[in-house]
């Protein structure tokens, strides 16, 4: 039996809201040689040991690097105006924008 992650907010939702642009680089502090790419559908593409792999969720992409269960929303960062912000920063921005509209 496999585990299926069911997120409340997805990266695709954040992209569609215009908070994050697709096709940007994602950074991590564990292995600086591995940089992810955020795809238009919210998945993350990595090249690990010469192999290109696509992950539907940030935690799965993080696990592929550290071989441990980690929170991908904190693990991955986007450089904006010279500052690295975690994906959770953008998730919070999405929540705030959504609550203002309701």
């Amino acid at each position: 039996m496999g585990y299926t992650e069911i997120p409340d907010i997805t990266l695709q939702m954040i992209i569609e809201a215009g908070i994050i642009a697709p096709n940007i680089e994602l950074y991590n502090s564990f292995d600086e040689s591995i940089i992810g790419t955020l795809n238009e559908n919210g998945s993350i593409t990595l090249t690990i040991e010469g192999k290109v792999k696509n992950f539907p969720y940030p935690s799965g992409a993080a696990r592929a690097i550290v071989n441990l269960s980690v929170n991908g929303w904190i693990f991955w960062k986007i450089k904006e105006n010279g500052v690295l912000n975690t994906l959770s920063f953008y998730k919070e921005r999405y929540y705030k924008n959504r609550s203002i509209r309701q």
Side-chain angles (χ1 to χ4, degrees):
M1 180 169 88
Y3 170 76
T4 302
E5 185 174 341
I6 303 173
D8 57 336
I9 301 297
T10 65
L11 284 169
Q12 184 174 10
M13 293 164 73
I14 297 170
I15 291 168
E16 289 172 354
I19 295 170
I20 299 175
N23 304 312
I24 59 172
E25 292 183 333
L26 298 176
Y27 302 91
N28 72 84
S29 44
F30 183 80
D31 186 340
E32 294 177 4
S33 70
I34 299 175
I35 297 173
T37 301
L38 179 61
N39 302 306
E40 197 167 324
N41 66 358
S43 66
I44 297 172
T45 300
L46 303 174
T47 301
I48 302 173
E49 297 176 356
K51 296 180 183 177
V52 176
K53 298 180 181 187
N54 194 49
F55 299 89
Y57 302 109
S59 295
R63 268 191 306 274
I65 295 171
V66 297
N67 294 318
L68 297 169
S69 182
V70 294
N71 183 335
W73 289 93
I74 296 171
F75 184 85
W76 293 106
K77 298 170 181 69
I78 295 172
K79 188 178 280 188
E80 183 177 40
N81 299 321
V83 176
L84 288 172
N85 296 309
T86 63
L87 291 179
S88 64
F89 171 84
Y90 298 98
K91 189 176 189 180
E92 285 299 317
R93 190 181 284 176
Y94 179 87
Y95 277 125
K96 287 178 186 175
N97 286 352
R98 191 171 76 167
S99 66
I100 290 170
R101 293 180 189 169
Q102 292 179 348

